Amino acid sequence: MRPISRTAPGAANDAVRHRGRADLGESGWPFGAFPVPAEEGRYSLEQNVMKTGSRVWARSTSVTSVCESTSKLDASVYSQGIPILFPRYDLPEGGLKTLAATDGRHIGLTATGHAGHTPAALTSATLSYCYDGGTTWTEAQVSQQGGHCAATVNHAGATGRQVTLRPELTDAHGDSVTQTVVRAYDVR
């Protein structure tokens, strides 16, 4: 997911900001400014992005992200970004977002922040993948070493299958993100 990106024709987007069960705002675009109370609180942001209508956009056709963070007013600034994590993937893919149908492929997992926020080190990382659009998940083995996380996926015998990814990342501040990327890549 790109935090603030131009929306291409044929794309559908929405973002909803919550505190507990209370909706704080909603936007039909993949960005927005949502007023929040000054006191410290736990917030979630759900963003849904879909691409339709073009064969060029055959990969990552739908991305749903749920970010959770704790935030409070910083009286020294007029406007501040909320500490949101965005997953980053290091895929050993071909130029067309495809992976070979072999076992033991490594996918690097990191997180970047939003609006100048630098995430703390990841304390938890999982990655699940499936071939049926989100019904049957396989949890990848994830290793963490020296601040780097890598998931191992096994695709032997999966030639021609479309892969949906779902990482769950948490940093040392307790900020987290769960993201589902439909057709993140295909197995060749």
Side-chain angles (χ1 to χ4, degrees), residues 4-159:
I4 303 214
S5 60
R6 281 184 272 139
T7 303
N13 305 282
D14 65 76
V16 180
R17 188 81 178 150
H18 304 277
R19 179 171 186 199
R21 294 182 180 200
D23 285 353
L24 297 177
E26 189 170 328
S27 172
W29 302 100
F31 54 84
F34 301 99
V36 296
E39 68 273 1
E40 184 172 330
R42 189 81 178 153
Y43 297 90
S44 67
L45 174 71
E46 180 177 339
Q47 182 182 45
N48 300 295
V49 179
M50 293 183 352
K51 297 184 278 185
T52 59
S54 174
R55 296 188 70 188
V56 175
W57 301 330
R59 309 291 191 272
S60 302
T61 56
S62 173
V63 179
T64 299
S65 304
V66 177
C67 305
E68 295 188 5
S69 61
T70 301
S71 183
K72 66 179 180 179
L73 176 67
D74 179 350
S76 67
V77 297
Y78 174 74
S79 179
Q80 68 192 67
I82 294 179
I84 296 174
L85 303 181
F86 294 102
R88 301 287 297 194
Y89 310 95
D90 181 14
L91 289 171
E93 49 92 11
L96 297 175
K97 291 183 81 177
T98 62
L99 289 179
T102 60
D103 288 346
R105 303 299 293 194
H106 298 286
I107 298 175
L109 299 170
T110 58
T112 60
H114 169 63
H117 171 68
T118 301
L122 293 179
T123 57
S124 173
T126 64
L127 180 76
S128 299
Y129 61 97
C130 73
Y131 304 116
D132 57 13
T135 303
T136 309
W137 293 96
T138 299
E139 189 166 330
Q141 180 179 351
V142 175
S143 62
Q144 291 183 282
Q145 188 173 17
H148 302 307
C149 299
T152 303
V153 296
N154 297 313
H155 294 313
T159 299

